[in-house]
C-alpha cells in the first residue's frame, strides 16, 4: 500500500529566508507526486507535480520540489518565503489507482 | 466559472438526520472523488467514480452513499448522521488519463450536533 509521510507538523521561517517542507513516500511502481496548499477555510489548490522527467519541478507562486528516487523524497522548497505563503501544505502520491493518498499536512508559518 | 463547486458550503444538523451534499464540475473530467478532512486536517479518500461508475470505495460506513447521475455530478448522501461525521468534505475531479491532476472544490463543512 502507498503512504506519504510529512515528518513536520509545523515549519517556522522568517520572511525572506528559504523554506523547505519535507515529504517522503512509499509506493510500488512509478509515483505521481503532488503538492497542494490549503489556506484557512479554503479548498486545496494545486502547486506542482512530478510525473516523469526532470527531477526539479517548478510550480506556482515560486515553489519548486525535487524528486529524489533513492531517498523516496519530494521536498517542497522556495528560495525566499513570503508571509502570504503561510498555509497548510499537503504532499500526495497517486500510484496505480487514481485517488490521491495524502500526507498529514505541514503548517507553514512565515514570520514578518 | 467555478471549476468544481459544492453545495452547501456549511451544513449544521442534528444527530440522526439524513443530509446530502452536491458536487458539480464543469471541466469535462471523467473521474470524480469525495474526500473527508477531519478535525486534525487528515485528508482521506472516500469514494471515486469514473464515468458514473464506482471505482473506489474505501472503508466507509454504508450510511454514506455516493450517487453520480452523470459524469459532471457526484453527490454524497449521509443517513443517520453521527457526531463523528463532523468534518469537511471535499469533492474533486480529474481527467481519466494523463497526469491525474485533481481539482478540488471549496469544501462542505458539516457539523453534527
Amino acid at each position: 500500500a502507498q503512504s506519504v509521510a510529512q515528518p513536520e507538523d509545523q515549519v517556522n521561517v522568517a520572511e525572506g529566508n528559504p523554506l523547505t517542507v519535507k515529504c517522503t513516500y512509499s509506493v510500488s511502481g512509478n509515483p505521481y507526486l503532488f503538492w497542494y496548499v490549503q489556506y484557512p477555510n479554503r479548498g486545496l489548490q494545486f502547486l506542482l507535480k512530478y510525473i516523469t522527467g526532470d527531477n526539479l519541478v517548478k510550480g506556482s507562486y515560486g515553489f519548486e520540489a525535487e524528486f529524489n528516487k533513492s531517498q523516496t523524497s519530494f521536498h517542497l522548497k522556495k528560495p525566499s518565503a513570503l508571509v502570504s505563503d503561510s498555509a497548510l501544505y499537503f504532499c500526495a502520491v497517486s500510484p496505480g489507482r487514481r485517488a490521491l493518498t495524502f500526507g498529514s499536512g505541514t503548517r507553514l508559518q512565515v514570520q514578518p | 466559472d467555478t471549476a468544481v463547486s459544492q453545495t452547501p458550503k456549511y451544513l449544521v444538523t442534528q444527530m440522526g438526520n439524513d443530509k446530502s451534499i452536491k458536487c458539480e464540475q464543469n471541466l469535462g473530467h471523467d473521474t470524480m472523488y469525495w474526500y473527508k478532512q477531519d478535525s486534525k486536517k487528515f485528508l482521506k479518500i472516500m469514494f471515486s467514480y469514473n464515468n458514473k461508475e464506482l471505482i473506489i470505495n474505501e472503508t466507509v460506513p454504508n450510511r454514506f452513499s455516493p450517487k453520480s447521475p452523470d459524469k459532471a455530478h457526484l453527490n454524497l448522501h449521509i443517513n443517520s448522521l453521527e457526531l463523528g461525521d463532523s468534518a469537511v468534505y471535499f469533492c474533486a475531479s480529474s481527467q481519466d488519463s494523463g497526469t491525474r491532476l485533481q481539482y478540488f472544490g471549496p469544501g462542505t463543512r458539516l457539523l453534527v450536533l
Side-chain angles (χ1 to χ4, degrees):
Chain A
Q2 64 274 6
S3 65
V4 178
Q6 292 181 243
E8 302 151 317
D9 287 339
Q10 181 153 325
V11 169
N12 297 309
V13 64
E15 189 173 30
N17 282 0
L19 69 88
T20 299
V21 182
K22 294 180 181 176
C23 171
T24 58
Y25 66 90
S26 173
V27 65
S28 54
N30 293 324
Y32 289 55
L33 293 158
F34 302 83
W35 276 101
Y36 283 84
V37 59
Q38 185 178 24
Y39 296 100
N41 300 315
R42 302 285 295 276
L44 278 78
Q45 294 180 34
F46 167 75
L47 273 182
L48 51 80
K49 65 182 185 294
Y50 172 83
I51 309 299
T52 59
D54 195 351
N55 288 345
L56 184 63
V57 178
K58 293 190 184 297
S60 307
Y61 313 121
F63 283 93
E64 57 188 31
E66 186 163 12
F67 171 64
N68 188 316
K69 189 172 182 178
S70 61
Q71 296 185 5
T72 61
S73 67
F74 190 55
H75 301 330
L76 181 70
K77 301 184 181 199
K78 187 173 181 180
S80 178
L82 300 172
V83 172
S84 57
D85 292 330
S86 298
L88 188 57
Y89 290 80
F90 288 97
C91 182
V93 64
S94 174
R97 65 177 194 176
R98 298 179 184 89
L100 292 170
T101 297
F102 284 91
S104 53
T106 298
R107 189 165 300 283
L108 174 66
Q109 198 69 38
V110 181
Q111 282 114 14
Chain B
D1 281 21
T2 306
V4 183
S5 59
Q6 295 178 228
T7 52
K9 268 189 143 177
Y10 300 95
L11 187 51
V12 181
T13 187
Q14 300 285 334
M15 271 175 52
N17 284 352
D18 303 338
K19 290 293 178 186
S20 291
I21 307 172
K22 295 186 176 181
C23 178
E24 177 181 2
Q25 54 95 3
N26 62 7
L27 297 166
H29 287 166
D30 299 311
T31 307
M32 295 184 72
Y33 312 79
W34 278 110
Y35 290 86
K36 179 180 179 181
Q37 186 175 42
D38 64 21
S39 58
K40 295 184 178 173
K41 305 297 183 185
F42 288 115
L43 267 163
K44 195 166 179 206
I45 182 70
M46 298 174 71
F47 301 103
S48 176
Y49 269 72
N50 177 257
N51 278 319
K52 303 194 297 176
E53 288 191 28
L54 182 66
I55 55 171
I56 294 173
N57 185 352
E58 291 294 293
T59 310
V60 175
N62 57 15
R63 299 181 294 104
F64 290 78
S65 52
K67 284 188 173 51
S68 182
D70 55 61
K71 75 173 194 177
H73 295 84
L74 181 60
N75 304 323
L76 184 64
H77 188 76
I78 316 170
N79 288 328
S80 303
L81 277 155
E82 299 178 357
L83 294 176
D85 298 333
S86 296
V88 182
Y89 293 85
F90 287 103
C91 178
S93 73
S94 69
Q95 192 62 332
D96 188 27
S97 59
T99 64
R100 304 177 191 172
L101 174 56
Q102 293 186 21
Y103 294 83
F104 283 78
T108 296
R109 282 150 185 81
L110 172 64
L111 178 61
V112 182
L113 302 174

